[in-house]
Amino acid sequence: MILNFSRIYFYSIIFFVLLAIFFIFIPLYLMYINMLPMKTYNESPAPDDFNMNYEKITAVSFDGFELKAWLIKGKDSAPAVIMVHGKGGNKSGLLHLARIVNSKGYHVLLPDLRGHGESGNALMTFGLDEAKDLETIYDSLKRRGNIDSSRVCVYAQSMGSAASVLAFVNKSEIRGFVIDSGFDSLDELIADVGSESYGLPHWLGKMSTWTYRVFTGHSASEVNPAELLSRSDKSVLLFHSKNDRVIPFRRALSLFEKIAGPKRLVQSEAGHTGAWGENPGEYEKKLLKFFDGCFSKEHFDPNSI
């Protein structure tokens, strides 16, 4: 049989082109579409709708984007709670819960992360640049004389929890974190999302973490809340659903296992960030007891609530 080398050469080229598309362009595309800004502010309520006393805050990010936040005012000399939304949300989405927290007299800071709400249309980085944005907005809180800036707690959802841990874990005035639907490390999460959301083999999802470096210049392993909390004594209250299809429950278990300080994991059957909607009264009671406890002493044990 006479081999047709030109045909073999042609099909070999086609094979390697398709392989390149599969291993290079598809992971790049999937990463890019997940980093695109998600502006949802125009459909959302404002503090005026709740008759809340608030102030608008504007800051500029390290890379030149405008950042927006609301400061819901509490009692003079009261401590503050920073409440951070997740991917696809905005500060308005936490207003109902902020009102509950504010009713205790606490000041509440509600920032819009980059690419969300009223903040600038920058690509999302799943916690890396968002952490710097939170620090920038937080600086405006610390300068206020009517806020007890020596006592601050953080409530954060999903991607916002990663940004919050990166931004605040090493600040002495931060008494504790409430993390709703968070994750342990971004590189592990990327692998999970690739396999569970897009049907890629887990090993390929793991390999696709290099695409994060293409868009950010940083390794996905730098976004690692679990590693940071393993070296911290902060109190942490976790909420996570066993049926979460966005951030698998095993990511919460991995995070919980590594937390070194006082900690508690509250499981639910709801979906991603759905624990509050599943049982609002119980969720709010645990949340307020956690904040009250953390503000009364530095190392509050969440298992007591």
Side-chain angles (χ1 to χ4, degrees):
M1 179 182 293
I2 299 175
L3 295 176
N4 188 333
F5 288 104
S6 62
R7 180 171 294 181
I8 294 173
Y9 181 69
F10 172 76
Y11 284 121
S12 297
I13 291 176
I14 294 297
F15 173 77
F16 284 111
V17 167
L18 292 175
L19 202 63
I21 291 173
F22 186 69
F23 282 102
I24 298 176
F25 296 107
I26 289 178
L28 278 172
Y29 173 73
L30 293 178
M31 179 61 69
Y32 177 71
I33 62 174
N34 277 284
M35 296 176 75
L36 289 173
M38 304 184 72
K39 306 292 279 184
T40 55
Y41 173 75
N42 291 333
E43 304 169 1
S44 305
D48 304 284
D49 300 327
F50 296 87
N51 295 317
M52 301 174 79
N53 182 20
Y54 78 106
E55 177 183 340
K56 295 180 179 180
I57 294 175
T58 300
V60 178
S61 70
F62 71 97
D63 50 354
F65 290 95
E66 195 170 68
L67 304 170
K68 298 286 188 175
W70 291 326
L71 176 61
I72 312 297
K73 297 179 181 179
K75 296 178 180 177
D76 280 348
S77 302
V81 177
I82 304 169
M83 305 187 73
V84 187
H85 65 81
K87 179 185 176 185
N90 61 54
K91 58 188 183 300
S92 294
L94 294 176
L95 270 176
H96 292 275
L97 198 53
R99 181 172 59 175
I100 299 295
V101 175
N102 180 245
S103 70
K104 297 282 289 184
Y106 301 138
H107 303 274
V108 181
L109 180 66
L110 292 167
D112 272 333
L113 298 176
R114 58 177 50 213
H116 293 79
E118 295 182 288
S119 290
N121 274 325
L123 287 178
M124 287 177 280
T125 63
F126 309 111
L128 190 68
D129 289 343
E130 289 82 359
K132 299 172 188 174
D133 295 343
L134 288 177
E135 290 187 88
T136 298
I137 295 172
Y138 176 63
D139 283 342
S140 66
L141 187 75
K142 293 191 297 182
R143 293 192 294 266
R144 296 170 182 269
N146 63 331
I147 296 176
D148 182 358
S149 57
S150 68
R151 293 185 297 158
V152 180
C153 278
V154 179
Y155 170 91
Q157 296 180 341
S158 191
M159 178 186 76
S161 68
S164 297
V165 172
L166 266 65
F168 302 124
V169 71
N170 292 319
K171 297 187 183 301
S172 60
E173 68 271 22
I174 302 297
R175 296 294 187 89
F177 293 89
V178 178
I179 296 175
D180 190 326
S181 306
F183 60 88
D184 52 348
S185 62
L186 182 58
D187 51 356
E188 293 294 338
L189 180 62
I190 289 173
D192 280 348
V193 170
S195 60
E196 298 191 11
S197 297
Y198 298 106
L200 301 176
H202 192 270
W203 62 267
L204 181 56
K206 189 74 173 176
M207 284 179 59
S208 68
T209 56
W210 65 269
T211 60
Y212 183 81
R213 186 181 291 275
V214 171
F215 293 110
T216 67
H218 294 268
S219 168
S221 63
E222 294 180 43
V223 184
N224 196 322
E227 200 277 328
L228 291 171
L229 287 170
S230 72
R231 296 185 277 109
S232 170
D233 59 359
K234 309 289 188 190
S235 300
V236 182
L237 174 62
L238 296 179
F239 291 96
H240 211 104
S241 169
K242 292 184 288 186
N243 300 316
D244 196 324
R245 296 291 182 265
V246 178
I247 297 178
F249 186 61
R250 61 178 172 274
R251 300 273 62 87
L253 289 177
S254 174
L255 173 61
F256 183 73
E257 288 170 2
K258 293 180 175 66
I259 294 171
K263 59 187 177 180
R264 180 179 179 184
L265 172 60
V266 179
Q267 303 178 23
S268 74
E269 301 293 333
H272 188 61
T273 67
W276 180 22
E278 183 181 67
N279 193 337
E282 194 63 27
Y283 188 100
E284 292 161 9
K285 183 168 71 173
K286 284 183 170 60
L287 196 67
L288 293 177
K289 283 186 175 180
F290 179 82
F291 293 148
D292 290 344
C294 284
F295 289 141
S296 64
K297 54 185 177 180
E298 287 194 39
H299 305 300
F300 173 69
D301 185 1
N303 290 292
S304 64
I305 62 178

